[in-house]
Amino acid sequence: FKTTDGGQTWIEANNGLLHHAVHRLVIDPTDHNTLFVGTGCVGLPDLEEGNIFKSTNAGETWTQIINSPDHSIGPIVFDPNDLNTMYAAGYYSFYKSEDHGEKWDAIYPPGQSGHYEGAAYHFPYQIIVHPSIPNIIFMGTYSGGVLKSVNGGKNWIPSNGDKNKGFVIAHANAVSVFPSDPNIMYAATIGGPFKTTNGGETWQPLKEEQHDYSVNRGIKVDPVDPNIVYFGGLNSFVRADGDNLDLFLDGSANDPDQKSGNELSPQFIDLLFKRSNHNIIYTAFLTETDLAPQYDGFYRFDFSDPNNPSWEKRNNGLTNKRIHALAMDKNTNTIYAGTEYGAASRSGGQGRSKIAVSGGGPGSLFKTTNEGQSWQMVNEDLSFITAYKLVVPENNQNHIYAATNGHGVYF
């Protein structure tokens, strides 16, 4: 959907977008009117076939660029060294475009679908291209850990640590790269958080005994200090600073909501840093329970004094706290939150069962101009299930794009 009045009214923007299961959305960094989406959904036969669609008019119309015999198309990225070069990862194959996304070729395996070397089950979560060495590419995968290519995606090898020492990572949900030195990376894994300082050649756990720090969803390195990283793990939201791991929302006295005794696994959905002070962060939590996910809404943390941090929920006016995406207008510090519909889907046996979640209404888009002290809904004309990703273009902070579950792209 598209809005031209700051979210007051919306019109559909799916003309030509044949598949509405949008897995990933990217904006051309040189032209905010040009968008690419990857579609497809693993596990749903009617939606598994992977496709890439392109719009050159800010979502007014879409053209299908690639129709491969692949499964879902996952991450799509531009090569920061050459913006005419793009990469996309499918369920089995790795694709490359050298003409700004006009034509795509499967370069691994060459011209066919197969398996990524080193990963038995390897659904790709994320692609990172080295910012100064274009042939080096990293990919975070499900179960296969981090894969590395040194020849532009033509071949892949595991980059998961020293097997002789047992420091091997797998099921890498996310990778976070320190902006000033891309050799410093963190990986979120089911075995805890890992760090590399040599571009993935070797990895070390943040803690030798870190079985209690399984990272369920996200990890984010501080933009100024490479030794500080945030992640959500078993029973905890954690801020790691060197050898110090500080736990928050952990069912103890540190927990502002006093959830003592509960088996919680808070996962931060997304994490933003305040532009003028990187010690102030904004995030939203999803807590897994035995029955259904619990959503805690929006939090503001202040680590300006690491010995005396403060945090609080800020949900005034946020009538739907099931946040799945956050984005920030960096010029004004306006924050946007995308939420999901008032029901949760849970797998059970061979099928799926619906579990009702308190609170109702469709997925919504909210905004705050005062760091979450008050929220305003800005999408009365929208009707989507879940907004999984929000993007504010760097070169046009007045525009917002939303990738949604089953309803395509909104603008």
Side-chain angles (χ1 to χ4, degrees), residues 102-231:
E102 292 298 321
K103 182 177 180 296
W104 295 80
D105 295 306
I107 59 173
Y108 184 88
Q112 59 181 325
S113 291
H115 287 277
Y116 295 100
E117 183 179 351
Y121 184 77
H122 50 263
F123 186 80
Y125 285 126
Q126 187 176 16
I127 301 170
I128 295 178
V129 181
H130 196 289
S132 58
I133 308 175
N135 284 328
I136 295 180
I137 306 173
F138 296 93
M139 181 160 55
T141 72
Y142 178 88
S143 184
V146 175
L147 303 182
K148 180 179 180 180
S149 174
V150 296
N151 57 7
K154 296 178 182 178
N155 300 98
W156 295 88
I157 57 175
S159 183
N160 296 327
D162 188 346
K163 294 182 179 180
N164 295 323
K165 295 182 179 180
F167 298 152
V168 180
I169 64 175
H171 195 149
N173 294 323
V175 177
S176 184
V177 177
F178 183 57
S180 301
D181 183 358
N183 286 315
I184 299 175
M185 297 189 294
Y186 291 87
T189 83
I190 57 174
F194 283 76
K195 179 181 180 180
T196 178
T197 58
N198 53 18
E201 293 296 325
T202 58
W203 294 83
Q204 295 289 330
L206 292 191
K207 282 282 189 180
E208 292 290 338
E209 300 294 333
Q210 62 173 23
H211 60 277
D212 288 337
Y213 299 107
S214 173
V215 184
N216 294 311
R217 179 146 182 167
I219 195 164
K220 187 69 75 74
V221 63
D222 186 279
V224 177
D225 187 341
N227 293 312
I228 298 177
V229 64
Y230 300 88
F231 58 90

Side-chain angles (χ1 to χ4, degrees), residues 302-317:
D302 188 346
F303 295 100
S304 298
D305 180 358
N307 296 319
N308 187 30
S310 63
W311 61 90
E312 62 178 321
K313 281 185 183 180
R314 292 189 170 185
N315 292 328
N316 182 32

Side-chain angles (χ1 to χ4, degrees), residues 333-345:
N333 281 329
T334 297
I335 299 172
Y336 299 89
T339 66
E340 78 164 359
Y341 186 73
S345 178

Side-chain angles (χ1 to χ4, degrees), residues 249-261:
L249 311 180
D250 64 346
S252 71
N254 286 337
D255 185 352
D257 299 311
Q258 295 297 311
K259 295 178 180 176
S260 180

